[in-house]
């Protein structure tokens, strides 16, 4: 117990302990706020992307419908069928260009379009009554999907946008990498402080005390405050 008591009374220890505690708190705080909020940040990012994408999808559908409306062909079943097929083709091209998956169902739940090759169980999404314009996280066929529903009223289409959670794994890895670098910097700075206290606190004091223990006057030269102390003791 006595060696420990002597240890905690040392000046270097009393300087380092508060610094170490501050560094530990900083490290834990960084871990909590960065890693803890990373999933939330990613989901917000995905949701914003889905919102913009859904607006583009709605625009594509409206353009297809408006083309029939302006031509007065809404009662022409054949022309409407052809226009729907063209619109689905445009949607498919758009989704593929943006690396998104997508499903389009008619009012009876029949699948009209499946983009992405995500091996999704069709019946699952056909029967999934997801809230419109809301991001959902859904497990499906061994993976996790973010889904975003919208409804195109004129043709009674239900459109489900899909994004695999793994798509953002590289982003998560980058954030984790930044955290690792920050942790290394914290650890390195702590080591640097230990070395500085050794050179600027412990060593000068030792250079003063060691001669006194031998019955000799200290002759320290260096830091002004320690030098003054050494000269005062020597006289």
């Amino acid at each position: 117990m006595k060696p420990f008591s002597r240890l905690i009374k040392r000046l270097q220890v009393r300087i380092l302990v508060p610094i170490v505690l501050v560094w530990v708190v900083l490290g834990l705080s960084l871990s909590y706020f960065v890693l803890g909020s990373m999933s939330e940040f990613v989901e917000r990012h995905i949701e914003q992307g889905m919102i913009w994408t859904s607006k583009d999808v709605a625009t594509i559908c409206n353009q297809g419908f408006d083309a029939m409306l302006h031509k007065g062909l809404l009662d022409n079943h054949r022309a409407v069928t052809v226009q729907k097929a063209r619109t689905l083709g445009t949607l498919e091209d758009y989704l593929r260009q943006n690396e998104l998956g997508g499903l389009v169902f008619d009012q009876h739940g029949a699948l009209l379009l499946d983009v992405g090759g995500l091996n999704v169980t069709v019946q699952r999404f056909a029967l999934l009554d997801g809230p419109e314009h809301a991001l959902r996280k859904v497990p499906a066929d061994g993976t996790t999907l973010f889904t975003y529903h919208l409804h195109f009223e004129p043709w009674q289409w239900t459109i489900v946008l899909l994004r695999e959670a793994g798509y953002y794994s590289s982003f998560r890895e980058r954030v984790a990498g930044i955290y690792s670098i920050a942790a290394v910097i914290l650890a390195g700075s702590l080591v640097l402080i230990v070395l500085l206290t050794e050179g600027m606190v412990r060593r000068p004091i030792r250079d003063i005390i060691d001669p006194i223990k031998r019955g000799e006057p200290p002759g320290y030269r260096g830091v002004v405050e320690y030098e003054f102390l050494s000269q005062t003791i020597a006289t």
Side-chain angles (χ1 to χ4, degrees), residues 46-99:
I46 295 172
E47 184 172 22
Q48 288 299 316
M50 289 291 199
I51 290 173
W52 285 107
T53 300
S54 68
K55 292 178 179 179
D56 291 340
V57 168
T59 298
I60 292 172
C61 293
N62 281 321
Q63 287 174 345
F65 179 79
D66 289 344
M68 302 302 298
L69 179 64
H70 293 155
K71 293 177 182 179
L73 297 175
L74 291 180
D75 294 329
N76 188 322
H77 179 73
R78 180 181 176 84
V80 170
T81 300
V82 171
Q83 185 59 46
K84 285 182 178 180
R86 288 176 179 170
T87 302
L88 290 172
T90 303
L91 280 176
E92 181 175 5
D93 291 341
Y94 173 81
L95 293 174
R96 292 191 185 280
Q97 288 171 5
N98 289 274
E99 299 180 328

Side-chain angles (χ1 to χ4, degrees), residues 111-220:
L111 182 65
L112 303 177
L113 181 66
D114 181 0
V115 178
L118 298 175
N119 296 320
V120 176
T121 303
V122 172
Q123 291 82 356
R124 174 175 221 148
F125 286 94
L127 300 175
L128 182 61
D129 186 21
E132 191 173 6
H133 302 300
L135 187 71
R136 296 190 67 189
K137 199 173 182 179
V138 180
D141 295 345
T143 186
T144 300
L145 297 173
F146 288 100
T147 71
Y148 193 88
H149 288 67
L150 61 150
H151 189 70
F152 184 62
E153 186 66 30
W155 287 339
Q156 293 294 298
W157 283 356
T158 297
I159 303 170
V160 184
L161 303 177
L162 308 171
R163 173 75 85 190
E164 282 189 285
Y167 180 84
Y168 291 92
S169 60
S170 60
F171 173 75
R172 294 174 184 269
E173 290 171 0
R174 287 198 300 271
V175 174
I178 292 172
Y179 170 73
S180 299
I181 292 172
V184 170
I185 292 173
L186 280 174
S189 61
L190 181 59
V191 171
L192 180 61
I193 288 175
V194 171
L195 294 176
L196 287 174
T197 57
E198 169 68 20
M200 299 178 65
V201 177
R202 186 171 180 272
R203 189 174 299 166
I205 292 177
R206 186 180 60 199
D207 291 344
I208 295 173
I209 292 177
D210 286 351
I212 296 175
K213 288 181 177 179
R214 296 193 300 267
E216 301 172 359
Y220 173 82

